[in-house]
Amino acid sequence: PQHYAIGIKELWEVDPAVHEPGVVVHGSGWPLDSDASGGCFMYHGEDNQVVVGLIVDLNYSNPYLSPFDEFQRMKHHPQFARVLSQGKRISYGARAIAKGGLNALPEMAFPGGLLIGCDAGTLNFAKIKGTHTAMKSGMLAAENVAKALSAEQEPGQTLTDYTESFKQSWLQQELHASRNFGPALHKFGTLLGGAYNWLEQNLFKGHVPWTLHDRTPDYAQLKPASEYPAKDYPKPDGKLSFDKSSSVYMSNTNHEEDQPVHLRLKDPAIPITVNLPRYDEPAQRYCPAGVYEIVEGNNGPELQINAQNCVHCKTCDIKDPSQNICWVVPEGAGGPNYPNM
Ligand SMILES: Cc1cc2nc3c(=O)[nH]c(=O)nc-3n(C[C@H](O)[C@H](O)[C@H](O)COP(=O)(O)OP(=O)(O)OC[C@H]3O[C@@H](n4cnc5c(N)ncnc54)[C@H](O)[C@@H]3O)c2cc1C
Ligand code: SF4
């Protein structure tokens, strides 16, 4: 199956004294516990701006884990706090990342269409980079569409030449060399998996004769809440760390109030009858925008869906342990607005 992570990211304007254009900071593991994997990043850009973020693999098993709160906690690390403490947050966003790589690529050509970029899952997870691979797949697709048009092919054909040219390209080689990166972390954990990946990527350059797989979908990895103590995240200080509502405000997300809810439940009873008793309804925590809230109704607890807050990250569709949430495209132009992210 495809595997995913949630990436949460903020843009900050920082004190020029601590701004070092071009500096890249990558980290792995912390602040996550050993039963979850992920990595953090900080990029110093132009105009005293830095981008800071946390990627949390969505195969985590503790239903009390909150990627949003882990990210807020992360910014208090001295490495990040040193840069951010005199700065100002200017934007917030979140997005799921399709990171299954080569092992999870679907058929990319079908009658009348081609899948490219992250719609197919071309991101190189070892580098957490998907822009160059998305562009390459788009270029290969465009070349094959142009070839079919100039050969005056009938519409609705399956352009299998695209799949062939993909296989012959550096893109296939790059994804092949990083195919074990995610499965190794999933199988062996951050420490051992990280050590394995270091050896495979640096000593063997990804050229090993075996392929590791993780055949369990991310949602199926969640364990019952009874197996874990509840997590007590620190309260945000309003300087480095923030709450979900002020963060959603910074994503500029907007949906028409009178539109149908774009987060559909296949069975409206499941959040209260299954997810709440078994997993303490994890949607309250994995959603980085506070869309899902358990509120006390006239007849006991109810799930309230604040659909207007949604930042379109798609995590709920991926991580709901009952696979009961279906994210559908909302009305035209609704959603977050990330002008400079
Ligand atoms: C937090 C985070 C950090 C990342 N950091 C890096 C990095 O440093 N370097 C790197 O190379 N990659 C990075 N990536 C990955 C990179 O962003 C993606 O791999 C890349 O953007 C994929 O490009 P794409 O064109 O396939 O998809 P996208 O960039 O997702 O583009 C798809 C577009 O389609 C639009 N769209 C979707 N549905 C509809 C619809 N129904 N109608 C009209 N439009 C629609 C979307 O709004 C979007 O603009 C990061 C990802 C995340 C989440
Ligand atoms: S409702 Fe779903 S798609 Fe929207 S922000 Fe929350 S987790 Fe992401």
Side-chain angles (χ1 to χ4, degrees), residues 263 286-289 291-292 309-317 327:
L263 301 148
Y286 60 60
C287 172
V291 168
Y292 300 97
N309 283 1
C310 178
V311 296
H312 296 195
C313 72
K314 324 275 169 54
T315 301
C316 49
D317 198 308
W327 187 98

Side-chain angles (χ1 to χ4, degrees), residues 60 62-67 222-226 244 265 267-287 291-295 301-305 315-317 319-325:
Y60 65 79
N62 182 347
Y64 289 118
L65 191 153
S66 162
L222 209 66
K223 293 194 176 140
S226 57
K244 281 188 184 171
L265 301 181
D267 178 348
I270 278 184
I272 300 303
T273 56
V274 179
N275 285 1
L276 186 59
R278 196 166 163 77
Y279 304 104
D280 194 35
E281 184 46 281
Q284 301 177 87
R285 291 170 294 279
Y286 60 60
C287 172
V291 168
Y292 300 97
E293 280 184 285
I294 298 291
V295 295
E302 288 173 3
L303 180 73
Q304 179 174 299
I305 303 181
T315 301
C316 49
D317 198 308
K319 190 60 180 169
D320 177 33
S322 304
Q323 287 296 280
N324 186 45
I325 302 177

Side-chain angles (χ1 to χ4, degrees), residues 113-229:
L114 300 173
L115 283 176
I116 61 171
C118 278
D119 273 358
T122 56
L123 178 127
N124 177 344
F125 185 51
K127 295 183 177 168
I128 331 176
K129 302 227 172 299
T131 310
H132 65 301
T133 50
M135 286 169 72
K136 179 64 179 173
S137 66
M139 287 157 71
L140 292 171
E143 282 161 18
N144 282 286
V145 169
K147 209 165 77 182
L149 286 174
S150 55
E152 296 186 1
Q153 273 191 23
E154 285 288 305
Q157 303 286 309
T158 301
L159 298 185
T160 47
D161 284 0
Y162 167 58
T163 319
E164 267 319 299
S165 50
F166 190 100
K167 283 187 184 149
Q168 302 304 322
S169 70
W170 59 256
L171 177 49
Q172 165 87 15
Q173 283 172 21
E174 182 175 325
L175 293 182
H176 187 261
S178 63
R179 72 197 179 287
N180 288 335
F181 192 91
L185 287 176
H186 290 194
K187 275 180 187 300
F188 310 134
T190 304
L191 220 55
L192 281 180
Y196 171 93
N197 280 334
W198 188 89
L199 285 173
E200 184 175 310
Q201 294 300 312
N202 291 295
L203 290 189
F204 298 99
K205 306 287 177 213
H207 300 302
V208 292
W210 58 84
T211 295
L212 302 176
H213 292 277
D214 175 4
R215 300 190 199 278
T216 311
D218 294 337
Y219 69 85
Q221 297 281 12
L222 209 66
K223 293 194 176 140
S226 57
E227 295 186 21
Y228 295 90

